[in-house]
């Protein structure tokens, strides 16, 4: 894991990082609503996270032509970039989960209220 | 022996064989000019050396170490035909990324000095090309592959680039390909022609006529 590489990746692959944060936030909603009590729900949440990473690979290849040589000229290939991005995303994801489980009662009240406001 | 060499390169696309048993080498202090007609496989060969195209077979050796992909040696730079530095990055950032050792020389160049904080998307096509060429020429790597460095450039900048290549070659090895063959002949110590899927060593301009690269051959 390299902070230097993260900075470089963020300059170029900001959409991938933002996408992963969005997926993490969506996934954390499942945890807030159901906690860790229902394995089916959080397995599904983790499945969504996994699919999110697959989509990040697709986003990477959307930018491939214009960015690949920028990194390869620094001796950095696809595997290194994606591993670094996924590892940092895991840290962000775990951070979101910790915050959401700490403030679970507050967030579940807010979410329920928001859902009810939307309903009426 | 220190140097870059690639041997037994075989590459085909669909049923069409582009390169067959091609050999190319480059030593420090040498500029190798690579010529060939359109579609002869010049760019493909450079991409195979760099590692962005996988060959059917090849043997790549850089400073006595065998590599599957040249860029993994962290001793090889490649200037592709298209722009490769993201527009958001400024010239100064690019210099700090690629030219940690050669930054002082680069900053002495008038165009560079006056545009240090300019971002790449604010440069014209030719300016961007010129800047990317300079970044690769003065990069920290020992071996530099330049694919059509002179395209999009005005004659003055072509001359300036040639000057910089000659200056930098003291401690680097260059492989250059371009359709401006006179510029390639000027700047190169040795010429290799890709023709009929194979490589030929060229001694003078007449050889280029004989091998059908230049018009005028009569049997």
């Amino acid at each position: 894991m390299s902070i230097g590489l993260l900075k470089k990746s963020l300059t170029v692959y900001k959409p991938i990082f933002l996408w992963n944060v969005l997926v993490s936030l969506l996934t954390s909603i499942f945890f807030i609503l159901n906690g860790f009590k229902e394995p089916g729900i959080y397995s599904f949440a983790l499945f969504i996270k996994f699919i999110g990473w697959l989509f990040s690979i697709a986003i990477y290849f959307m930018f491939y032509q214009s960015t690949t040589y920028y990194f390869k000229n620094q001796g950095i290939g696809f595997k290194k970039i994606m591993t670094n991005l996924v590892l940092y995303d895991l840290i962000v994801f775990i951070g979101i989960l910790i915050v959401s489980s700490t403030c679970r009662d507050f967030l579940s009240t807010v979410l329920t209220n928001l859902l009810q406001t939307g309903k009426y | 022996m220190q140097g870059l060499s690639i041997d037994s390169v075989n590459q085909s696309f669909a049923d069409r064989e582009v390169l067959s048993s091609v050999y190319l080498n480059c030593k420090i202090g040498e500029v190798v000019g690579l010529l060939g007609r359109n579609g002869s496989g010049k760019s493909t060969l450079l991409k195979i050396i760099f590692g962005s195209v996988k060959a059917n077979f090849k043997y790549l050796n850089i400073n006595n170490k065998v590599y599957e992909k040249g860029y993994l040696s962290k001793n090889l730079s490649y200037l592709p035909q298209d722009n490769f530095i993201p527009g958001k990055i400024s010239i100064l950032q690019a210099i700090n990324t690629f030219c940690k050792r050669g930054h002082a020389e680069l900053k002495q160049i008038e165009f560079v000095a006056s545009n240090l904080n300019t971002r790449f998307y604010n440069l014209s096509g030719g300016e961007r090309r010129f800047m990317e060429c300079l970044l690769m020429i003065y990069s920290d790597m020992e071996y530099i592959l330049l694919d059509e460095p002179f395209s999009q450039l005005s004659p003055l900048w072509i001359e300036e680039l040639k000057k910089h290549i000659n200056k930098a070659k003291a401690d680097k090895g260059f492989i250059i390909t371009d359709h401006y063959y006179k510029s390639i002949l000027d700047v190169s110590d040795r010429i290799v022609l890709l023709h009929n899927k194979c490589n030929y060593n060229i001694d003078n301009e007449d050889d280029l006529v004989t091998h059908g690269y230049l018009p005028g051959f009569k049997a």
Side-chain angles (χ1 to χ4, degrees):
Chain A
M1 276 171 78
S2 147
I3 291 180
L5 178 57
L6 178 74
K7 278 184 192 168
K8 284 175 195 167
S9 309
L10 274 179
T11 325
V12 181
Y13 297 121
K14 214 175 275 167
I16 296 181
F17 199 77
L18 288 176
W19 162 256
N20 281 326
V21 170
L22 275 176
V23 175
S24 297
L25 287 171
L26 174 72
T27 312
S28 66
I29 291 173
F30 288 100
F31 285 96
I32 296 162
L33 292 176
N34 294 292
F36 291 91
K37 287 167 197 161
E38 292 178 50
I41 299 288
Y42 68 75
S43 304
F44 179 66
L46 290 176
F47 175 72
I48 289 179
K49 190 75 197 117
F50 180 71
I51 295 291
W53 284 329
L54 289 184
F55 270 95
S56 344
I57 295 172
I59 299 171
Y60 171 88
F61 280 103
M62 275 165 60
F63 293 92
Y64 184 78
Q65 281 299 331
S66 55
T67 57
T68 184
Y69 289 114
Y70 175 70
F71 284 103
K72 282 186 176 169
N73 269 317
Q74 298 170 57
I76 304 164
F78 164 74
K79 277 183 203 163
K80 208 170 175 182
I81 293 169
M82 285 313 292
T83 310
N84 209 52
L85 277 175
V86 167
L87 282 175
Y88 274 104
D89 179 54
L90 261 178
I91 292 173
V92 171
F93 181 49
I94 291 167
I96 289 172
L97 282 185
I98 290 169
V99 170
S100 58
S101 59
T102 313
C103 317
R104 193 170 162 248
D105 290 340
F106 168 74
L107 287 170
S108 55
T109 314
V110 171
L111 270 172
T112 316
N113 281 341
L114 277 174
L115 287 171
Q116 278 180 345
T117 314
K119 197 175 171 185
Y120 298 108
Chain B
M1 199 183 79
Q2 297 277 302
L4 178 153
S5 66
I6 188 159
D7 198 0
S8 312
V9 185
N10 280 282
Q11 176 68 320
S12 45
F13 295 110
D15 291 336
R16 184 179 164 233
E17 193 174 39
V18 183
L19 301 167
S20 173
S21 302
V22 167
Y23 171 81
L24 189 70
N25 72 331
C26 176
K27 285 178 276 181
I28 300 284
E30 187 181 41
V31 179
V32 180
L34 187 63
L35 293 176
R37 291 184 189 182
N38 293 109
S40 59
K42 306 179 297 296
S43 297
T44 304
L45 181 59
L46 293 191
K47 284 177 187 169
I48 288 170
I49 296 172
F50 189 64
S52 53
V53 165
K54 197 175 186 302
N56 298 348
F57 183 82
K58 65 147 193 311
Y59 176 83
L60 175 68
N61 187 314
I62 300 172
N63 291 344
N64 300 319
K65 213 171 160 190
V66 178
Y67 290 97
E68 187 56 36
K69 293 174 176 180
Y71 71 86
L72 293 178
S73 70
K74 296 196 174 180
N75 207 5
L76 187 63
S77 283
Y78 170 64
L79 176 81
Q81 284 181 16
D82 303 312
N83 296 329
F84 75 97
I85 296 187
K88 285 177 204 165
I89 287 171
S90 71
I91 289 180
L92 184 63
Q93 281 176 306
I95 291 173
N96 292 336
T97 303
F98 293 107
C99 315
K100 289 181 188 82
R101 272 181 276 155
H103 68 96
E105 279 158 308
L106 253 178
K107 285 173 186 169
Q108 281 170 9
I109 300 166
E110 197 189 328
F111 174 77
V112 179
S114 56
N115 286 288
L116 274 177
N117 294 312
T118 310
R119 291 177 193 273
F120 274 80
Y121 58 60
N122 286 325
L123 298 176
S124 73
E127 288 173 331
R128 201 167 171 164
R129 188 71 183 158
F130 181 64
M131 200 53 235
E132 289 182 346
C133 286
L134 287 174
L135 284 167
M136 291 298 97
I137 291 168
Y138 286 105
S139 73
D140 298 331
M141 314 296 182
E142 276 186 313
Y143 301 99
I144 319 286
L145 312 173
L146 302 176
D147 195 353
E148 301 195 0
F150 306 129
S151 63
Q152 300 182 51
L153 297 187
S154 64
L156 270 176
W157 272 357
I158 290 179
E159 288 310 310
E160 187 157 351
L161 267 193
K162 287 188 322 201
K163 202 176 73 188
H164 289 297
I165 290 169
N166 276 321
K167 191 177 166 189
K169 80 173 185 183
D171 49 3
K172 288 175 197 287
F174 287 90
I175 301 177
I176 307 179
T177 177
D178 208 293
H179 288 295
Y180 290 90
Y181 75 94
K182 288 205 167 154
S183 292
I184 293 289
L185 292 176
D186 280 350
V187 81
S188 304
D189 300 304
R190 192 157 59 83
I191 299 286
V192 174
L193 177 74
L194 282 181
H195 181 57
N196 287 338
K197 306 167 207 168
C198 302
N199 56 294
Y200 298 87
N201 288 324
I202 299 297
D203 294 323
N204 50 50
E205 225 169 298
D206 291 342
D207 285 353
L208 291 175
V209 178
T210 312
H211 289 291
Y213 178 72
L214 294 177
F217 180 72
K218 284 171 191 150

